[in-house]
Amino acid sequence: MRATPGPLVIIGGAEDKQGDCVILRELIRLAGGEQARIVVITAATEFPIEVGNEYVQVLTRLGAEEVHPLHIVKREDASAPFAVRLVERASCVFFTGGEQGRITRLLGGTQLDAALHRRHGDGLVLAGTSAGASVMSSTMIVEGEAETSPRPGIVHMEPGMEFLNGVVIDQHFAQRGRLGRLLSAVTKYPHHLGMGIDENTAVVVSGVECRVIGTGAVSIVDASALTYANVESADRGEPLALCGIRLHVLPAGHRFDLRDRRPILEDVEPHRGDEELTS
């Protein structure tokens, strides 16, 4: 029988670590509950010891059986037998926040990279927060201006870790006003969906379907039906004209079909605002 790839838990950053911890509890559940064996890769951060220890403490407190930090500070670390063995026996690998470019520079093409893709294909849960969320896609936003309208040249894109194809992910989305830069990104790559994830919010991807958990929302930008864009004529720094783009905003409990590019609304309770107004 052909193996099924494991779920992806893609977190928009600043996930709750003190209260109900909905996202991290769901991560542990998917990873095996009390038998969860989680490896925390700290490659993105400049403070690997502190960040790694924080996740060890919170994930252990929430019930994971084992939590091991894995500090990758140079490329040789990502081909060390110890690092590969940790991933081989893990039920979940979690990428912390920091700078997403550090993850791809340190891990890309290494034995650890190969082990992650092989194990994910066999069912390993992969998760990431903030920068660790951005690297999940095949093409990622490395940097870009926020709190602005879409404009040419305001986003810099690079290859990601390629765990999720056909999607560009942005994080801290509503909190940092990143709609303009996500629109700019999908204008450059209209065959990709744009996925903007708020803080303390996550997308759980299983196959071609994803569902939203947490306290915020996920904004999905679809430029496949783009009818007009002045990308070729607009000067750098000038606002772009974009017509025909679809925008879906999905809070917790909502699902989306990534293959068919449509929200899944069959099991969502209809809005009853009109009845309340007339009753």
Side-chain angles (χ1 to χ4, degrees), residues 131 248 263 270:
H248 308 280

Side-chain angles (χ1 to χ4, degrees), residues 16 75 87 98 152 195 233 238 252:
D16 175 23
R75 281 185 60 83
V87 167
M195 183 180 288
S233 60
E238 289 186 347

Side-chain angles (χ1 to χ4, degrees), residues 127-150:
T129 185
S130 190
S134 291
V135 297
M136 293 292 174
S137 57
S138 53
T139 304
M140 67 178 182
I141 297 174
V142 177
E143 59 184 16
E145 297 178 27
E147 298 182 342
T148 182
S149 56

Side-chain angles (χ1 to χ4, degrees), residues 31-54:
E34 294 180 352
Q35 286 77 49
R37 299 183 303 276
I38 302 175
V39 173
V40 178
I41 295 181
T42 60
T45 178
E46 296 180 351
F47 307 99
I49 304 299
E50 296 88 339
V51 172
N53 287 343
E54 180 182 26

Side-chain angles (χ1 to χ4, degrees), residues 74-152:
K74 55 185 184 298
R75 281 185 60 83
E76 302 92 279
D77 297 338
S79 291
F82 168 75
V84 175
R85 283 197 301 269
L86 273 181
V87 167
E88 292 288 359
R89 67 180 304 274
S91 61
C92 172
V93 172
F94 180 91
F95 291 90
T96 71
E99 179 194 343
Q100 48 265 47
R102 288 173 57 89
I103 299 175
T104 53
R105 289 194 299 271
L106 290 170
L107 270 67
T110 65
Q111 293 184 36
L112 185 59
D113 183 11
L116 286 166
H117 280 85
R118 183 176 64 253
R119 288 293 327 284
H120 177 241
D122 291 337
L124 175 72
V125 179
L126 288 178
T129 185
S130 190
S134 291
V135 297
M136 293 292 174
S137 57
S138 53
T139 304
M140 67 178 182
I141 297 174
V142 177
E143 59 184 16
E145 297 178 27
E147 298 182 342
T148 182
S149 56
R151 299 167 187 266

Side-chain angles (χ1 to χ4, degrees), residues 137-211:
S137 57
S138 53
T139 304
M140 67 178 182
I141 297 174
V142 177
E143 59 184 16
E145 297 178 27
E147 298 182 342
T148 182
S149 56
R151 299 167 187 266
I154 67 169
V155 289
H156 176 53
M157 315 280 288
E158 289 183 1
M161 292 293 289
E162 300 183 343
F163 298 116
L164 180 62
N165 293 320
V167 175
V168 174
I169 297 165
D170 211 348
Q171 13 77 12
H172 303 283
F173 192 67
Q175 289 75 16
R176 299 186 185 179
R178 289 179 167 175
L179 177 59
R181 80 176 197 173
L182 186 60
L183 284 166
S184 300
V186 298
T187 302
K188 294 176 66 175
Y189 297 90
H191 56 296
H192 284 10
L193 286 169
M195 183 180 288
I197 310 175
D198 292 352
E199 293 180 355
N200 196 33
T201 307
V203 172
V204 180
V205 181
S206 299
V208 299
E209 182 178 309
C210 64
R211 58 187 172 91

Side-chain angles (χ1 to χ4, degrees), residues 173 196 198 212 216-221 246-251 254 256 263:
F173 192 67
D198 292 352
V212 181
V218 173
S219 301
I220 297 180
V221 177
R246 298 188 183 97
L247 173 65
H248 308 280
V249 181
L250 306 174
H254 287 72
F256 193 86

